[in-house]
């Protein structure tokens, strides 16, 4: 509904106020008035029970857990996610240039740790495409094939894969433990907000670049060729050119396996999309594909008869904990920091998405600690860096998962596979795992269409999206924390100052004036909402949820109206801000330019008039404020 706003006028007459006179009139409080002694603050803030529960969130929800209400949904959800962990774990391990069994370990240990420390109810911790690629760049840089050549009994030079893989596992574990420790430290010093300083254009550009790297990395398995490994900013182009030059030497049986696998996987995904409203759980297309491929490979001898590369030995049983090679820390510290930041950014964005949808809150600092502990402990068990996966998290949520008990169920599926079923996948062709990675990148491929809008919205973020640039060290991360306050009117003036620091600043009844010391943008939006809730008592998250539900009902009753054509305004006092809001499609039928005012006083007069008041309430000034400057 459009608000009809009639012309309002006001006139203010006051003496010219310099800063000194303003402090006298407003009765600004001293530092000692606004800050209690540190001993008092520490004594008043420490509550043992609250501290313990905040560090172990499982102590909050597990005692209240209802098996009747949550047991079956969590079990179904956990089984569905666990089934996804198996093919994705083995497939993404190839992206990290590690043995497939390491992917299974990575799907088990970190997920169990997160259950105790995490605050999100729906995210699924484990392997992820982008982090796998980042780890792969470290393992291949520090443990390239050429460092492990050996001569066999027939004087043929070949790669000692056992020695190479063993060292790559050490590199990945050291990087993971160091990255996890960085996350824990950042979380303990309340640095959780750092993840919010990664803009959406930057993250999308980064994941788009990662998709390109992932595709090129899998081509050697899909075509059965052996391209040279390149490093540097043009490594992707050089590797792609080398793969193309070797296409005449494509191993046809491997290519046939890749094509058939992709066709089957895509068909399963399309079938799931078509039957989604009717199926309680999705068809496990990836598991079906690797099972069928393993059976065919085992009974037809694809490896021995057609020289198709297979997964090979998958040891059964759990790995014993090993202390990471600390001598590698110096060589991987920058990679560890980048993994820590990128992993956390993905984790907190997914966590907050589900939290907003289901009406609960995730603690950004505790999430940083939880992810850090998952990585640190996992690194001792030969795991590599983890974060939640969008696909698995969506399955965990859409199949009815209510709590992280679903994570327990999915971990049990992986555990049984490692203990008993792992050796059954030894004949699985690597081309099938590469096809799984390739098909799962479908969503990221679509982001290539974002190049034009990303270029328009943030050219710098788009350029910085190259996967070889460490996002963790990106100067886009601005370490600035804004301050917030509620303003009150200084009687007899049109001035509004912080009511906590000025005694004479009076709140306008029925109106809350909330001020941020910086412009509201992507990085501090959540901080802004938290401060607004604390200062005013308004829970914006609940209001947003309620509003979205009402909008959903309205959309079901009416067809969505076509967007109005953009009209270029004449520039006013607020034109730079208005231009940015228009560019971001901020205005709508319910929020128009008539909701923006040139000054705070204009907004207050409008609100008072809208409520039927004709003027500001009158206050009797305190005795101090009427005294002369000399007597003060």
């Amino acid at each position: 509904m459009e608000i009809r706003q009639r012309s309002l006028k006001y006139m203010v007459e006051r003496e010219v106020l310099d800063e000194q006179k303003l402090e006298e009139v407003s009765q600004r409080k001293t530092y000692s008035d606004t800050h209690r002694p540190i001993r008092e603050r520490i004594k008043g803030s420490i509550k043992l029970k609250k501290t313990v529960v905040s560090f172990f969130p499982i102590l909050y929800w597990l005692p209240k857990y209802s098996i009747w209400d949550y047991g079956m949904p969590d079990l179904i959800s956990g089984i569905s996610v666990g089934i996804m962990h198996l093919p994705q774990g083995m497939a993404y391990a190839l992206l990290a240039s590690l043995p497939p069994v390491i992917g299974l370990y990575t799907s088990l240990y970190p997920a169990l740790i997160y259950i105790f420390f995490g605050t999100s109810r729906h995210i699924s911790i484990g392997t992820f495409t982008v982090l796998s690629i980042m780890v792969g760049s470290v393992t291949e840089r520090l443990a390239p094939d050429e460092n492990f050549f050996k001569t066999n009994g027939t004087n043929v030079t070949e790669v000692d894969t056992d020695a190479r893989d063993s060292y790559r596992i050490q590199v990945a574990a050291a990087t993971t433990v160091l990255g996890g420790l960085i996350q824990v430290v950042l979380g303990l010093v309340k640095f959780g907000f750092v993840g919010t300083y990664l803009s959406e254009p930057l993250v999308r550009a980064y994941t788009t670049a990662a998709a390109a790297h992932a595709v090129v990395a899998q081509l050697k398995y899909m075509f059965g060729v052996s391209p040279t490994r390149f490093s540097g900013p043009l490594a992707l182009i050089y590797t792609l050119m080398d793969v193309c030059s070797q296409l005449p030497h494509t191993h046809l049986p491997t290519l046939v396996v890749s094509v058939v696998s992709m066709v089957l996987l895509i068909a399963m995904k399309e079938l799931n999309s078509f039957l989604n409203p009717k199926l309680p759980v999705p068809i496990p297309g990836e598991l079906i594909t690797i099972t069928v491929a393993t059976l065919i490979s085992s009974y037809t001898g694809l490896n021995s008869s057609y020289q198709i590369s297979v997964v090979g030995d998958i040891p059964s049983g759990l790995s014993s904990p090993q202390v990471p090679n600390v001598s590698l820390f110096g060589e991987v510290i920058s990679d560890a920091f980048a993994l820590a930041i990128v992993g956390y950014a993905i984790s907190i964005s997914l966590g907050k998405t589900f939290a907003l949808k289901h009406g609960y809150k995730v603690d950004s600092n505790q999430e940083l600690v939880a992810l850090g502990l998952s990585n640190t402990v996992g690194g001792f068990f030969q795991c590599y860096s983890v974060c939640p996966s969008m696909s698995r998290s969506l399955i965990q949520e859409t199949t009815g998962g209510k709590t992280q008990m679903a994570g327990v169920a999915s971990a049990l599926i992986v555990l049984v596979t490692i203990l008993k079923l792992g050796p059954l996948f030894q004949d699985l062709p690597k081309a099938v795992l590469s096809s799984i990675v390739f098909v799962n990148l479908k969503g990221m491929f679509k982001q290539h269409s974002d190049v034009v809008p990303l270029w328009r919205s943030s050219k710098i973020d788009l350029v910085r999206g190259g996967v070889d640039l460490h996002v963790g060290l990106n100067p886009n991360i601005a370490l600035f924390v804004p301050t917030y306050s509620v303003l009150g009117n200084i009687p007899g003036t049109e001035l509004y100052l912080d009511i906590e620091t000025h005694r004479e600043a009076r709140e306008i009844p029925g109106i809350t004036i909330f001020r941020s010391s910086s412009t509201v943008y992507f990085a501090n939006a959540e901080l802004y909402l938290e401060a607004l809730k604390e200062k005013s008592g308004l829970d914006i998250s609940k209001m947003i949820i309620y509003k979205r539900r009402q909008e959903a009902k309205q959309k079901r009753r009416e067809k969505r109206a076509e967007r109005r054509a953009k009209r270029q305004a004449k520039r006013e006092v607020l034109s730079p801000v208005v231009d940015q809001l228009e560019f971001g499609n901020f205005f709508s039928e319910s929020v128009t330019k008539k909701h923006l005012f040139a000054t705070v006083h204009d907004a207050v007069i409008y609100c008072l008039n809208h409520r039927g008041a004709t003027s500001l309430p009158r206050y009797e000034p305190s005795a101090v404020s009427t005294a002369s400057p000399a007597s003060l």
Side-chain angles (χ1 to χ4, degrees):
M1 184 196 323
E2 185 175 346
I3 300 175
R4 294 183 179 179
Q5 183 174 330
R6 62 188 180 86
S7 178
L8 298 175
K9 298 180 180 180
Y10 67 86
M11 181 174 63
V12 176
E13 184 178 351
R14 60 172 174 81
E15 64 175 319
V16 176
L17 297 175
D18 55 32
E19 184 62 28
Q20 181 177 344
K21 288 183 179 180
L22 179 60
E23 290 186 3
E24 293 170 356
V25 172
S26 64
Q27 286 298 293
R28 181 166 185 158
K29 298 177 183 178
T30 63
Y31 181 84
S32 60
D33 292 329
T34 57
H35 292 76
R36 292 181 294 164
I38 190 167
R39 289 185 180 179
E40 274 187 43
R41 282 185 283 150
I42 293 176
K43 183 178 179 180
S45 63
I46 294 180
K47 294 181 180 179
L48 181 60
K49 181 178 179 180
K50 184 177 180 181
T51 302
V52 172
V53 172
S54 65
F55 192 73
F56 294 94
I58 192 174
L59 298 178
Y60 172 77
W61 60 266
L62 188 59
K64 303 177 182 179
Y65 189 82
S66 172
I67 297 179
W68 298 108
D69 295 333
Y70 301 151
M72 188 55 67
D74 279 345
L75 180 61
I76 295 174
S77 174
I79 293 175
S80 302
V81 174
I83 289 173
M84 290 185 68
H85 266 302
L86 303 181
Q88 287 189 2
M90 291 189 289
Y92 293 159
L94 293 183
L95 281 177
S97 298
L98 297 170
V101 70
I102 301 300
L104 296 180
Y105 295 155
T106 305
S107 301
L108 173 63
Y109 295 105
L112 290 176
I113 299 299
Y114 180 83
I115 291 167
F116 291 92
F117 299 97
T119 59
S120 174
R121 304 174 190 172
H122 296 93
I123 62 175
S124 172
I125 295 292
T127 56
F128 184 66
T129 315
V130 175
L131 295 193
S132 299
I133 296 170
M134 294 174 70
V135 171
S137 67
V138 183
T139 56
E140 291 191 2
R141 186 183 79 239
L142 298 183
D145 288 346
E146 53 266 27
N147 289 1
F148 298 91
F149 283 141
K150 66 176 182 178
T151 304
N152 58 20
T154 57
N155 292 326
V156 176
T157 301
E158 59 183 18
V159 178
D160 187 346
T161 56
D162 292 337
R164 180 201 64 188
D165 290 346
S166 177
Y167 191 68
R168 284 183 176 179
I169 292 172
Q170 293 184 45
V171 171
T175 307
T176 301
V177 170
L178 185 56
L181 292 175
I182 291 172
Q183 290 172 325
V184 171
V185 171
L186 292 178
L188 292 177
V189 299
K190 309 300 180 184
F191 227 56
F193 69 89
V194 70
T196 63
Y197 287 89
L198 292 171
S199 68
E200 182 182 5
L202 177 63
V203 174
R204 292 179 70 85
Y206 193 88
T207 53
T208 300
H213 280 259
V215 169
V216 174
Q218 298 311 298
L219 292 179
K220 62 181 180 181
Y221 297 111
M222 299 177 69
F223 288 93
V225 296
S226 302
T228 305
R229 180 189 177 276
F230 297 93
S231 60
L234 298 178
L236 180 66
I237 297 176
Y238 289 148
T239 303
L240 183 60
M241 291 174 61
D242 193 28
V243 170
C244 292
S245 68
Q246 295 189 35
L247 288 182
H249 307 288
T250 297
H251 189 241
L252 290 180
T254 299
L255 181 61
V256 170
V257 171
S258 301
V259 172
V260 172
S261 299
M262 282 194 292
V263 170
L264 183 58
L265 287 167
I266 293 174
M268 290 286 189
K269 286 185 178 293
E270 293 301 322
L271 184 61
N272 271 329
S273 299
F274 179 73
L275 299 177
N276 184 45
K278 303 177 183 179
L279 294 176
V281 293
I283 300 172
E286 295 173 345
L287 184 63
I288 292 175
T289 301
I290 66 171
T291 301
V292 171
T294 302
L295 291 174
I296 294 175
S297 176
S298 177
Y299 283 102
T300 61
L302 292 182
N303 178 246
S304 57
S305 302
Y306 300 96
Q307 289 73 51
I308 293 178
S309 179
V310 297
V311 168
D313 182 49
I314 299 181
S316 59
L318 299 175
S319 60
S320 57
Q322 298 179 11
V323 178
N325 188 348
V326 295
S327 64
L328 293 170
F329 281 4
E331 298 182 76
V332 300
I333 186 169
S334 61
D335 303 281
F337 189 81
L339 284 163
I341 298 300
V342 174
Y344 171 66
I346 295 169
S347 179
I348 198 64
S349 62
L350 282 178
K352 288 179 180 177
T353 298
F354 291 116
L356 182 62
K357 181 178 180 179
H358 293 276
Y360 65 93
K361 184 178 180 249
V362 293
D363 186 324
S364 57
N365 292 309
Q366 182 59 28
E367 282 298 293
L368 196 48
V369 172
L371 190 62
L373 290 174
S374 299
N375 279 314
T376 302
V377 176
F380 280 84
F381 289 90
Q382 302 180 354
C383 302
Y384 66 90
S385 296
V386 297
C387 72
S389 157
M390 171 64 84
S391 59
R392 292 195 308 269
S393 299
L394 281 174
I395 294 298
Q396 184 162 320
E397 187 245 356
T398 55
T399 52
K402 305 295 183 183
T403 70
Q404 280 298 332
M405 287 301 289
V408 176
S410 65
L412 289 176
I413 298 293
V414 178
L415 178 62
V416 171
T417 302
I418 294 175
L419 294 177
K420 299 294 183 182
L421 305 179
L424 298 179
F425 294 106
Q426 292 180 356
D427 293 321
L428 174 64
K430 289 183 178 180
V432 176
L433 296 179
S434 296
S435 300
I436 291 174
V437 174
F438 199 93
V439 173
N440 281 340
L441 291 173
K442 177 182 178 182
M444 291 188 181
F445 291 154
K446 292 180 179 179
Q447 293 182 179
H448 286 85
S449 62
D450 292 344
V451 171
V452 174
L454 283 175
W455 177 259
R456 291 174 178 171
S457 63
S458 180
K459 298 177 178 62
I460 295 177
D461 282 352
L462 180 65
V463 173
R464 289 176 181 167
V467 84
D468 287 330
L469 299 179
H470 288 346
V471 175
L473 303 179
N474 199 296
N476 190 64
I477 302 175
L479 304 182
F480 171 72
V481 183
T483 57
Y484 306 97
S485 56
V486 173
L487 305 185
N489 176 250
I490 303 301
T493 74
E494 84 289 6
L495 304 178
Y496 295 83
L497 301 176
D498 188 350
I499 61 174
E500 293 185 1
T501 57
H502 298 81
R503 292 187 180 90
E504 289 299 315
R506 309 296 177 85
E507 282 193 80
I508 309 299
I511 299 176
T512 299
I513 305 171
F514 183 71
R515 181 182 69 180
S516 170
S517 64
S518 71
T519 304
V520 180
Y521 65 116
F522 73 92
N524 62 15
E526 185 191 0
L527 299 176
Y528 186 92
L529 290 178
E530 289 295 323
L532 178 58
K533 179 180 178 181
E534 179 183 349
K535 297 283 186 181
S536 67
L538 298 174
D539 193 337
I540 303 300
S541 298
K542 292 184 179 179
M543 294 171 64
I544 292 175
I545 293 173
Y546 176 78
K547 180 181 178 182
R548 288 185 175 179
R549 289 175 179 171
Q550 296 303 314
E551 289 177 346
K553 292 180 181 179
Q554 184 67 18
K555 287 178 182 178
R556 285 193 292 266
R557 290 191 293 264
E558 301 176 359
K559 291 183 179 181
R560 196 170 187 174
E562 295 183 0
R563 293 183 178 178
R564 294 179 177 179
K566 293 183 180 179
R567 290 177 291 184
Q568 186 175 3
K570 292 178 181 182
R571 291 179 173 268
E572 302 171 354
V573 177
L574 298 178
S575 59
V577 177
V578 174
D579 289 345
Q580 288 297 318
L581 293 176
E582 283 186 327
F583 184 76
N585 295 321
F586 173 80
F587 295 109
S588 64
E589 292 184 0
S590 58
V591 180
T592 68
K593 291 183 182 179
K594 292 184 178 181
H595 292 86
L596 293 180
F597 297 88
T599 69
V600 173
H601 200 61
D602 288 327
V604 171
I605 294 297
Y606 169 77
C607 291
L608 288 173
N609 184 267
H610 188 67
R611 297 174 56 214
T614 57
S615 62
L616 290 171
R618 294 184 176 274
Y619 300 101
E620 291 295 331
S622 63
V624 178
S625 64
T626 58
S628 63
S631 65
L632 296 176

